[in-house]
């Protein structure tokens, strides 16, 4: 198996399990707490954030973007070539759809049930722009400052928080957005609402890329960061 095939497989599996966590925990939350939307969102956000941490820790040695916007930023930064980017993005979209179908089947709601949950309006689109800008800042700020071993915890924490501080509940991922159109459950989004979200995510990705290049123009090796932290710890307080 080639390296690219392994990376695409990791992206497929990771995105599938991420979407299963989003959709499945949304269904479970709506059943366990049917009269409390705030509690449903809390349960959904905690499950999603925890799953992200676990999936990134496990799959990061192979590939762990799970997001076309992050993969496009990798390409723009010269970290991967166009062929790899296309393969990884295709795997992410397919993995997301597979994850939704499996979550639907687990909870007996039908393998494909198009969502009727409309999410539209300027406020939600601004929320998606800001959620995606923040996500790119967290991912690449952590990686480019030489702390790639901490990116799982940074991303998991950010997404958990962004569920609450963004009006859109932070989809911030085109593959996940498309996948959530085929579940008429708590986490779903109506197919007609998806293009607006995806456009906002791409705009946020472009803005996030510019911000990352401004703040982190060069990649700091992890060894250099470790040496700097060790030196700081030796300074008498």
């Amino acid at each position: 198996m080639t390296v690219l095939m392994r990376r695409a497989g990791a992206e497929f599996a990771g995105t599938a399990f991420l979407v299963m966590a989003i959709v499945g925990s949304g269904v479970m939350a709506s059943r366990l707490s049917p009269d409390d939307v705030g509690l449903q969102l809390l349960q959904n956000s905690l499950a999603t954030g925890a799953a992200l941490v676990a999936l990134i820790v496990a799959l990061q040695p192979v590939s762990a973007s799970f997001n076309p916007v992050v993969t496009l930023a990798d390409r723009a930064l010269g970290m991967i070539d166009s062929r790899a980017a296309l393969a990884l993005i295709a795997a992410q979209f397919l993995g997301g759809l597979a994850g939704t179908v499996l979550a639907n089947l687990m909870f007996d709601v039908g393998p494909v049930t198009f969502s009727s949950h409309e999410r539209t309006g300027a406020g939600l689109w601004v929320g998606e722009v800001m959620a995606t800008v923040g996500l790119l800042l967290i991912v690449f700020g952590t990686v480019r400052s030489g702390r790639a071993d901490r990116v799982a915890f940074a991303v998991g924490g950010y997404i958990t928080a962004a569920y609450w501080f963004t009006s859109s509940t932070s989809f911030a991922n085109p593959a996940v957005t498309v996948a959530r159109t085929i579940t008429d459950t708590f986490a779903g989004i109506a197919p007609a609402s998806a293009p607006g979200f995806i456009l906002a995510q791409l705009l946020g990705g472009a803005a996030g890329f510019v911000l990352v290049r401004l703040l982190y123009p060069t990649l700091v090796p992890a060894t250099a960061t470790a040496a700097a932290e060790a030196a700081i710890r030796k300074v008498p307080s």
Side-chain angles (χ1 to χ4, degrees), residues 34-59:
D35 301 319
D36 192 333
V37 178
L39 185 55
Q40 293 171 14
L41 185 62
L42 177 62
Q43 294 161 340
N44 193 208
S45 64
L46 290 176
T48 301
L52 263 173
V53 172
L55 289 167
I56 295 172
V57 168
L59 295 174

PDB file of all heavy atoms in Angstrom, residues 34-59:
ATOM      1  N   PRO A  34     -34.791  15.270  26.076  1.00  0.00           N
ATOM      2  CA  PRO A  34     -35.668  15.762  24.999  1.00  0.00           C
ATOM      3  C   PRO A  34     -36.198  17.170  25.207  1.00  0.00           C
ATOM      4  O   PRO A  34     -36.597  17.821  24.246  1.00  0.00           O
ATOM      5  CB  PRO A  34     -36.811  14.740  24.986  1.00  0.00           C
ATOM      6  CG  PRO A  34     -36.819  14.170  26.358  1.00  0.00           C
ATOM      7  CD  PRO A  34     -35.387  14.127  26.787  1.00  0.00           C
ATOM      8  N   ASP A  35     -36.201  17.653  26.444  1.00  0.00           N
ATOM      9  CA  ASP A  35     -36.821  18.953  26.734  1.00  0.00           C
ATOM     10  C   ASP A  35     -35.804  20.035  27.067  1.00  0.00           C
ATOM     11  O   ASP A  35     -36.188  21.104  27.545  1.00  0.00           O
ATOM     12  CB  ASP A  35     -37.811  18.799  27.898  1.00  0.00           C
ATOM     13  CG  ASP A  35     -38.916  17.800  27.599  1.00  0.00           C
ATOM     14  OD1 ASP A  35     -39.424  17.816  26.459  1.00  0.00           O
ATOM     15  OD2 ASP A  35     -39.242  16.991  28.492  1.00  0.00           O
ATOM     16  N   ASP A  36     -34.520  19.760  26.845  1.00  0.00           N
ATOM     17  CA  ASP A  36     -33.487  20.737  27.225  1.00  0.00           C
ATOM     18  C   ASP A  36     -32.470  20.846  26.089  1.00  0.00           C
ATOM     19  O   ASP A  36     -31.518  20.073  26.020  1.00  0.00           O
ATOM     20  CB  ASP A  36     -32.798  20.299  28.519  1.00  0.00           C
ATOM     21  CG  ASP A  36     -31.933  21.396  29.127  1.00  0.00           C
ATOM     22  OD1 ASP A  36     -31.445  22.256  28.368  1.00  0.00           O
ATOM     23  OD2 ASP A  36     -31.740  21.385  30.357  1.00  0.00           O
ATOM     24  N   VAL A  37     -32.666  21.821  25.202  1.00  0.00           N
ATOM     25  CA  VAL A  37     -31.779  21.981  24.048  1.00  0.00           C
ATOM     26  C   VAL A  37     -30.373  22.358  24.477  1.00  0.00           C
ATOM     27  O   VAL A  37     -29.386  21.929  23.878  1.00  0.00           O
ATOM     28  CB  VAL A  37     -32.354  23.026  23.071  1.00  0.00           C
ATOM     29  CG1 VAL A  37     -31.413  23.224  21.881  1.00  0.00           C
ATOM     30  CG2 VAL A  37     -33.721  22.594  22.564  1.00  0.00           C
ATOM     31  N   GLY A  38     -30.266  23.166  25.543  1.00  0.00           N
ATOM     32  CA  GLY A  38     -28.945  23.534  26.029  1.00  0.00           C
ATOM     33  C   GLY A  38     -28.148  22.329  26.490  1.00  0.00           C
ATOM     34  O   GLY A  38     -26.950  22.201  26.192  1.00  0.00           O
ATOM     35  N   LEU A  39     -28.792  21.422  27.196  1.00  0.00           N
ATOM     36  CA  LEU A  39     -28.123  20.205  27.641  1.00  0.00           C
ATOM     37  C   LEU A  39     -27.772  19.318  26.451  1.00  0.00           C
ATOM     38  O   LEU A  39     -26.717  18.678  26.430  1.00  0.00           O
ATOM     39  CB  LEU A  39     -29.012  19.446  28.627  1.00  0.00           C
ATOM     40  CG  LEU A  39     -28.410  18.194  29.283  1.00  0.00           C
ATOM     41  CD1 LEU A  39     -27.096  18.526  29.974  1.00  0.00           C
ATOM     42  CD2 LEU A  39     -29.406  17.587  30.270  1.00  0.00           C
ATOM     43  N   GLN A  40     -28.636  19.284  25.461  1.00  0.00           N
ATOM     44  CA  GLN A  40     -28.339  18.521  24.243  1.00  0.00           C
ATOM     45  C   GLN A  40     -27.060  19.036  23.583  1.00  0.00           C
ATOM     46  O   GLN A  40     -26.198  18.261  23.164  1.00  0.00           O
ATOM     47  CB  GLN A  40     -29.507  18.611  23.266  1.00  0.00           C
ATOM     48  CG  GLN A  40     -30.775  17.917  23.725  1.00  0.00           C
ATOM     49  CD  GLN A  40     -31.951  18.225  22.814  1.00  0.00           C
ATOM     50  OE1 GLN A  40     -31.784  18.737  21.702  1.00  0.00           O
ATOM     51  NE2 GLN A  40     -33.160  17.924  23.268  1.00  0.00           N
ATOM     52  N   LEU A  41     -26.948  20.357  23.486  1.00  0.00           N
ATOM     53  CA  LEU A  41     -25.762  20.946  22.863  1.00  0.00           C
ATOM     54  C   LEU A  41     -24.517  20.656  23.689  1.00  0.00           C
ATOM     55  O   LEU A  41     -23.440  20.381  23.133  1.00  0.00           O
ATOM     56  CB  LEU A  41     -25.943  22.454  22.685  1.00  0.00           C
ATOM     57  CG  LEU A  41     -24.813  23.171  21.938  1.00  0.00           C
ATOM     58  CD1 LEU A  41     -24.680  22.644  20.513  1.00  0.00           C
ATOM     59  CD2 LEU A  41     -25.051  24.680  21.926  1.00  0.00           C
ATOM     60  N   LEU A  42     -24.635  20.704  25.003  1.00  0.00           N
ATOM     61  CA  LEU A  42     -23.496  20.396  25.863  1.00  0.00           C
ATOM     62  C   LEU A  42     -23.026  18.960  25.637  1.00  0.00           C
ATOM     63  O   LEU A  42     -21.834  18.703  25.473  1.00  0.00           O
ATOM     64  CB  LEU A  42     -23.881  20.594  27.327  1.00  0.00           C
ATOM     65  CG  LEU A  42     -22.793  20.246  28.358  1.00  0.00           C
ATOM     66  CD1 LEU A  42     -21.577  21.139  28.182  1.00  0.00           C
ATOM     67  CD2 LEU A  42     -23.351  20.353  29.779  1.00  0.00           C
ATOM     68  N   GLN A  43     -23.959  18.030  25.616  1.00  0.00           N
ATOM     69  CA  GLN A  43     -23.608  16.626  25.403  1.00  0.00           C
ATOM     70  C   GLN A  43     -22.978  16.430  24.030  1.00  0.00           C
ATOM     71  O   GLN A  43     -21.966  15.713  23.886  1.00  0.00           O
ATOM     72  CB  GLN A  43     -24.870  15.762  25.555  1.00  0.00           C
ATOM     73  CG  GLN A  43     -25.423  15.768  26.973  1.00  0.00           C
ATOM     74  CD  GLN A  43     -26.884  15.325  27.040  1.00  0.00           C
ATOM     75  OE1 GLN A  43     -27.603  15.353  26.041  1.00  0.00           O
ATOM     76  NE2 GLN A  43     -27.323  14.926  28.227  1.00  0.00           N
ATOM     77  N   ASN A  44     -23.543  17.061  23.023  1.00  0.00           N
ATOM     78  CA  ASN A  44     -23.040  16.957  21.662  1.00  0.00           C
ATOM     79  C   ASN A  44     -21.635  17.544  21.544  1.00  0.00           C
ATOM     80  O   ASN A  44     -20.742  16.946  20.918  1.00  0.00           O
ATOM     81  CB  ASN A  44     -24.006  17.679  20.725  1.00  0.00           C
ATOM     82  CG  ASN A  44     -23.791  17.388  19.254  1.00  0.00           C
ATOM     83  OD1 ASN A  44     -24.095  18.213  18.407  1.00  0.00           O
ATOM     84  ND2 ASN A  44     -23.286  16.222  18.900  1.00  0.00           N
ATOM     85  N   SER A  45     -21.408  18.690  22.140  1.00  0.00           N
ATOM     86  CA  SER A  45     -20.101  19.351  22.039  1.00  0.00           C
ATOM     87  C   SER A  45     -19.018  18.576  22.778  1.00  0.00           C
ATOM     88  O   SER A  45     -17.893  18.439  22.281  1.00  0.00           O
ATOM     89  CB  SER A  45     -20.180  20.782  22.564  1.00  0.00           C
ATOM     90  OG  SER A  45     -20.481  20.824  23.946  1.00  0.00           O
ATOM     91  N   LEU A  46     -19.341  18.051  23.960  1.00  0.00           N
ATOM     92  CA  LEU A  46     -18.341  17.295  24.716  1.00  0.00           C
ATOM     93  C   LEU A  46     -17.945  16.010  23.990  1.00  0.00           C
ATOM     94  O   LEU A  46     -16.763  15.654  23.935  1.00  0.00           O
ATOM     95  CB  LEU A  46     -18.880  16.972  26.112  1.00  0.00           C
ATOM     96  CG  LEU A  46     -19.031  18.154  27.076  1.00  0.00           C
ATOM     97  CD1 LEU A  46     -19.678  17.703  28.380  1.00  0.00           C
ATOM     98  CD2 LEU A  46     -17.680  18.812  27.354  1.00  0.00           C
ATOM     99  N   ALA A  47     -18.932  15.321  23.428  1.00  0.00           N
ATOM    100  CA  ALA A  47     -18.637  14.092  22.696  1.00  0.00           C
ATOM    101  C   ALA A  47     -17.791  14.381  21.462  1.00  0.00           C
ATOM    102  O   ALA A  47     -16.835  13.645  21.155  1.00  0.00           O
ATOM    103  CB  ALA A  47     -19.935  13.393  22.303  1.00  0.00           C
ATOM    104  N   THR A  48     -18.118  15.454  20.749  1.00  0.00           N
ATOM    105  CA  THR A  48     -17.365  15.805  19.544  1.00  0.00           C
ATOM    106  C   THR A  48     -15.929  16.179  19.878  1.00  0.00           C
ATOM    107  O   THR A  48     -14.981  15.715  19.231  1.00  0.00           O
ATOM    108  CB  THR A  48     -18.056  16.961  18.806  1.00  0.00           C
ATOM    109  OG1 THR A  48     -19.394  16.582  18.459  1.00  0.00           O
ATOM    110  CG2 THR A  48     -17.292  17.327  17.544  1.00  0.00           C
ATOM    111  N   GLY A  49     -15.753  17.034  20.888  1.00  0.00           N
ATOM    112  CA  GLY A  49     -14.405  17.445  21.275  1.00  0.00           C
ATOM    113  C   GLY A  49     -13.555  16.274  21.742  1.00  0.00           C
ATOM    114  O   GLY A  49     -12.375  16.154  21.370  1.00  0.00           O
ATOM    115  N   ALA A  50     -14.148  15.391  22.542  1.00  0.00           N
ATOM    116  CA  ALA A  50     -13.405  14.225  23.036  1.00  0.00           C
ATOM    117  C   ALA A  50     -13.025  13.294  21.888  1.00  0.00           C
ATOM    118  O   ALA A  50     -11.899  12.773  21.839  1.00  0.00           O
ATOM    119  CB  ALA A  50     -14.244  13.477  24.071  1.00  0.00           C
ATOM    120  N   ALA A  51     -13.955  13.080  20.955  1.00  0.00           N
ATOM    121  CA  ALA A  51     -13.659  12.218  19.806  1.00  0.00           C
ATOM    122  C   ALA A  51     -12.537  12.809  18.958  1.00  0.00           C
ATOM    123  O   ALA A  51     -11.661  12.072  18.477  1.00  0.00           O
ATOM    124  CB  ALA A  51     -14.922  12.026  18.964  1.00  0.00           C
ATOM    125  N   LEU A  52     -12.542  14.113  18.770  1.00  0.00           N
ATOM    126  CA  LEU A  52     -11.485  14.755  17.987  1.00  0.00           C
ATOM    127  C   LEU A  52     -10.119  14.537  18.614  1.00  0.00           C
ATOM    128  O   LEU A  52      -9.152  14.216  17.913  1.00  0.00           O
ATOM    129  CB  LEU A  52     -11.770  16.260  17.868  1.00  0.00           C
ATOM    130  CG  LEU A  52     -12.470  16.725  16.597  1.00  0.00           C
ATOM    131  CD1 LEU A  52     -12.824  18.196  16.712  1.00  0.00           C
ATOM    132  CD2 LEU A  52     -11.611  16.482  15.369  1.00  0.00           C
ATOM    133  N   VAL A  53     -10.029  14.709  19.921  1.00  0.00           N
ATOM    134  CA  VAL A  53      -8.751  14.491  20.595  1.00  0.00           C
ATOM    135  C   VAL A  53      -8.265  13.068  20.352  1.00  0.00           C
ATOM    136  O   VAL A  53      -7.123  12.835  19.944  1.00  0.00           O
ATOM    137  CB  VAL A  53      -8.870  14.765  22.105  1.00  0.00           C
ATOM    138  CG1 VAL A  53      -7.588  14.336  22.828  1.00  0.00           C
ATOM    139  CG2 VAL A  53      -9.131  16.243  22.368  1.00  0.00           C
ATOM    140  N   ALA A  54      -9.137  12.097  20.588  1.00  0.00           N
ATOM    141  CA  ALA A  54      -8.751  10.698  20.442  1.00  0.00           C
ATOM    142  C   ALA A  54      -8.357  10.364  19.006  1.00  0.00           C
ATOM    143  O   ALA A  54      -7.341   9.685  18.766  1.00  0.00           O
ATOM    144  CB  ALA A  54      -9.902   9.799  20.894  1.00  0.00           C
ATOM    145  N   LEU A  55      -9.143  10.830  18.035  1.00  0.00           N
ATOM    146  CA  LEU A  55      -8.869  10.503  16.637  1.00  0.00           C
ATOM    147  C   LEU A  55      -7.569  11.141  16.145  1.00  0.00           C
ATOM    148  O   LEU A  55      -6.792  10.505  15.424  1.00  0.00           O
ATOM    149  CB  LEU A  55     -10.042  10.958  15.761  1.00  0.00           C
ATOM    150  CG  LEU A  55     -11.328  10.152  15.914  1.00  0.00           C
ATOM    151  CD1 LEU A  55     -12.495  10.871  15.250  1.00  0.00           C
ATOM    152  CD2 LEU A  55     -11.153   8.748  15.318  1.00  0.00           C
ATOM    153  N   ILE A  56      -7.321  12.386  16.529  1.00  0.00           N
ATOM    154  CA  ILE A  56      -6.088  13.049  16.082  1.00  0.00           C
ATOM    155  C   ILE A  56      -4.877  12.392  16.718  1.00  0.00           C
ATOM    156  O   ILE A  56      -3.859  12.150  16.054  1.00  0.00           O
ATOM    157  CB  ILE A  56      -6.133  14.559  16.383  1.00  0.00           C
ATOM    158  CG1 ILE A  56      -7.232  15.225  15.565  1.00  0.00           C
ATOM    159  CG2 ILE A  56      -4.783  15.206  16.061  1.00  0.00           C
ATOM    160  CD1 ILE A  56      -7.480  16.687  15.922  1.00  0.00           C
ATOM    161  N   VAL A  57      -4.951  12.060  18.019  1.00  0.00           N
ATOM    162  CA  VAL A  57      -3.831  11.379  18.677  1.00  0.00           C
ATOM    163  C   VAL A  57      -3.524  10.058  17.975  1.00  0.00           C
ATOM    164  O   VAL A  57      -2.364   9.716  17.716  1.00  0.00           O
ATOM    165  CB  VAL A  57      -4.139  11.147  20.167  1.00  0.00           C
ATOM    166  CG1 VAL A  57      -3.133  10.186  20.781  1.00  0.00           C
ATOM    167  CG2 VAL A  57      -4.114  12.467  20.930  1.00  0.00           C
ATOM    168  N   ALA A  58      -4.575   9.307  17.644  1.00  0.00           N
ATOM    169  CA  ALA A  58      -4.374   7.988  17.036  1.00  0.00           C
ATOM    170  C   ALA A  58      -3.883   8.064  15.597  1.00  0.00           C
ATOM    171  O   ALA A  58      -3.012   7.285  15.189  1.00  0.00           O
ATOM    172  CB  ALA A  58      -5.682   7.202  17.089  1.00  0.00           C
ATOM    173  N   LEU A  59      -4.425   8.985  14.811  1.00  0.00           N
ATOM    174  CA  LEU A  59      -4.167   8.986  13.369  1.00  0.00           C
ATOM    175  C   LEU A  59      -3.153  10.030  12.908  1.00  0.00           C
ATOM    176  O   LEU A  59      -2.726   9.997  11.758  1.00  0.00           O
ATOM    177  CB  LEU A  59      -5.489   9.202  12.619  1.00  0.00           C
ATOM    178  CG  LEU A  59      -6.511   8.074  12.782  1.00  0.00           C
ATOM    179  CD1 LEU A  59      -7.834   8.440  12.119  1.00  0.00           C
ATOM    180  CD2 LEU A  59      -5.973   6.768  12.208  1.00  0.00           C
TER     181      LEU A  59
END
